[in-house]
Amino acid sequence: MQTITRTSDLRRLVTQWRTAGERVAFVPTMGNLHAGHGSLVHRANELADRVVVSVFVNPLQFGPNEDFAAYPRTPEDDARLLESLGVDVLFMPEVDEMYPRGQEATARVQVPGIDSILCGAFRPGHFTGVATIVAKLLNLVQPDVALFGEKDYQQLMIIRRTVEDLCMPMEIVGVATTRETDGLAMSSRNRYLSADDRRVAPVIFAELERTRKAIEAGSNDFAGLEQTGLEALKRNGFRPDYFSIRDAETLGEPDTGGDFVILTAARIGRARLIDNVRASRRR
Ligand code: PAF
């Protein structure tokens, strides 16, 4: 595995691969890798000849009072894991390399509407930061396929919209959420959980699952189900931002037919956890 920090070196290498007719997969991350990232890399290996993984904690997607400085950075462990997974290139740029004019002055990618609901309502500017860095990274790597976790469901939809609206010629693949045995979705931010918080954290998935079953059993009382979910989270010591049932394709208000996604974001201690599950009446 080669570790590259310069955009020019990355472009040169990927151009060589493409000239040789090789298919390239790309997995963007912010590092502090866990088994969830491992499953993205595993799928990337199945889909392409070459795999590039980026590790970049993107300041543009953090608000002024968020955890940019504290975000866990474990570059040596990340490199070891990626090497063992057969990754070809680890791209690990400094902030200046990605924002040479400074992050305030950089051109931005905005996906209006969908960027200001759910997490976007609580983290203003977050999804513009995500869409901007992902567009930059995709333009640099120009992969045939890029892979993202379904845990960040709204992020995945925003990335799909970015790629579609900006006519970027690549496939975006969503990979199912990897969970701990008790259901907690794997996340770098699980590190922020105290032992007590970690014990109640699986309540998030349990509540999402309870709601999924109610929807699949035919309940159309979406407001009531959302309220029950919020109350259950609060009862267990969470401070929920939202617990919401949406149309799985648009993230708009749900219709009574079709596919649904139930999404939540909830704070506990220092951590803000997000998760979602899909529900379908088509099965
Ligand atoms: O999901 C993440 O880790 C980040 O939001 C991403 C997609 C790597 C962009 O910084």
Side-chain angles (χ1 to χ4, degrees), residues 28-30 56 58 61 130 133-134 148 152 155 159:
T29 81
M30 296 206 300
F56 179 64
N58 171 35
Q61 70 188 74
V130 170
I133 193 63
V134 170
F148 297 85
D152 299 288
Q155 166 174 286
I159 290 165

Side-chain angles (χ1 to χ4, degrees), residues 2 55 64:
Q2 286 188 55
V55 169

Side-chain angles (χ1 to χ4, degrees), residues 16 19 34 36 56 63 77 123 148 165 168 174-175 186 223 229 238 240 269:
Q16 281 171 20
T19 310
H34 49 68
F56 179 64
D77 291 349
R123 303 186 68 190
F148 297 85
D165 291 359
M168 298 165 83
V175 175
M186 288 198 186
F238 290 92

Side-chain angles (χ1 to χ4, degrees), residues 15-151:
T15 304
Q16 281 171 20
W17 294 342
R18 306 201 75 82
T19 310
E22 291 181 308
R23 213 176 128 75
V24 180
F26 177 45
V27 181
T29 81
M30 296 206 300
N32 191 236
L33 304 178
H34 49 68
H37 297 107
S39 80
L40 294 172
V41 173
H42 182 70
R43 188 84 187 103
N45 271 318
E46 290 171 348
L47 294 175
D49 306 302
R50 300 287 190 172
V51 175
V52 178
V53 176
S54 62
V55 169
F56 179 64
V57 185
N58 171 35
L60 202 61
Q61 70 188 74
F62 289 79
N65 299 318
E66 293 185 351
D67 57 342
F68 174 68
Y71 196 85
R73 290 162 172 86
T74 50
E76 285 89 14
D77 291 349
D78 293 348
R80 255 192 306 277
L81 176 70
L82 294 174
E83 175 116 53
S84 76
L85 294 174
V87 166
D88 294 276
V89 165
L90 164 57
F91 178 53
M92 213 163 16
E94 294 293 333
V95 171
D96 290 354
E97 186 71 8
M98 294 312 293
Y99 298 112
R101 258 182 284 277
Q103 65 181 82
E104 291 312 318
T106 195
R108 279 150 213 259
V109 176
Q110 198 197 349
V111 185
I114 190 177
D115 72 344
S116 44
I117 58 172
L118 301 167
C119 279
F122 293 88
R123 303 186 68 190
H126 167 67
F127 286 119
T128 295
V130 170
T132 300
I133 193 63
V134 170
K136 283 167 73 79
L137 290 166
L138 292 176
N139 280 335
L140 268 172
V141 180
Q142 305 207 347
D144 297 281
V145 54
L147 300 94
F148 297 85
E150 287 179 351
K151 183 177 84 72

